[in-house]
Amino acid sequence: MRMHDKVAIVTGAAQGIGECIARRYVEEGARVAIADIKLEAATETAKKLTAAGPGEAIGIAMDVTSEKAVNDGVAQVAERWGDIDVLVSNAGIQIVYKIEDFPFADWKRMLAIHLDGAFLTTKACIPHMYRKGGGSIIYMGSVHSKEASPLKSAYVTAKHGLLGLARVVSKEGAEHGVRANVICPGFIRTPLVEKQIPEQAKELGISEKDVVEKIMLGGTVDKQFTTVEDVAEIALLFAAFPTNALTGQSLVVSHGWFME
Ligand code: NAP
């Protein structure tokens, strides 16, 4: 088992990509905290994962935009399991508007969840990793860490920002054996994306079918959605990789939508 006895915190893991990453880690023997704004859903997910084993999971309440909630949640995990070996900063939302219509409050909310959340969880977890002499921090970026799309100014700005944060953390963390990397998925049919299909159809004045076939999958090599399982496999690679050889990187998993 590649994560036997490792302790991981995955934010936004009550559902979607985070849930699948947490499941993959538990399959590999990890102890995983499902940190989500929805405690009840996080606890339900944790119960399912623990029942499947061989690792175990707990649900914890964490709004990643609140410094207190992040610090309390991380302290709770450290108290229960002693260490924190892996952080997956995954919680995220999507809000789409043309830039001239983008409400400032929504812009700030987007940056708070994606960027403040990544910063606050990193800041809270990294002392535990330094104390132990190692750790892996994984940020959930997107193809939108490298590419732009209309209507997504806040999302694209935030996802680009995560590349910078990961590079700084990889430089600061190296002497302590702490690595930082970014996963950049293409479109995956999670609730976050299902919600966007009618919204984008409305904003762009096209059909929902065209949003899926032209906007979401138009650039892929095979018109396929990426899956949560694809992303979880990369999250396992980054979490279990044993040396600083793999740090400061971003890996695109998108059916060729974006090629570097
Ligand atoms: P999802 O299914 O909506 O799951 C995200 C989870 O995060 C939800 O449980 C959500 O709760 C929770 N959350 C929202 N705000 C939070 C906060 N402030 N603190 C803690 N948890 C919070 O989304 P997903 O598709 O799995 O996306 C996960 C990550 O992958 C995001 O960072 C997203 O940008 C990125 N991503 C997604 C895709 C895609 O195609 N799906 C592609 C590239 C990157 P609520 O349901 O209450 O909001």
Side-chain angles (χ1 to χ4, degrees), residues 15 17 36 38 62-64 90 155 159 188 190 193:
Q15 65 181 46
I17 297 172
D36 202 282
K38 301 170 295 194
M62 186 186 288
D63 174 351
V64 298
N90 165 79
Y155 191 78
K159 292 302 191 189
I188 303 168
T190 63
V193 161

Side-chain angles (χ1 to χ4, degrees), residues 46-66:
K47 271 193 206 148
K48 273 192 297 181
L49 299 194
T50 300
E56 60 176 303
I58 54 167
I60 60 170
M62 186 186 288
D63 174 351
V64 298
T65 68
S66 155

Side-chain angles (χ1 to χ4, degrees), residues 208-259:
E208 293 190 14
K209 188 165 175 283
D210 278 353
V211 171
V212 171
E213 290 178 4
K214 296 191 176 144
I215 308 269
M216 294 184 166
L217 302 181
T220 63
V221 294
D222 54 7
K223 305 284 178 283
Q224 298 287 312
F225 276 100
T226 303
T227 66
V228 288
E229 288 80 12
D230 296 327
V231 177
E233 233 26 72
I234 307 298
L236 177 61
L237 169 78
F238 280 137
F241 200 84
T243 72
N244 278 353
L246 190 59
T247 194
Q249 302 306 304
S250 53
L251 187 55
V252 179
V253 49
S254 72
H255 284 261
W257 168 21
F258 182 84
M259 298 190 192

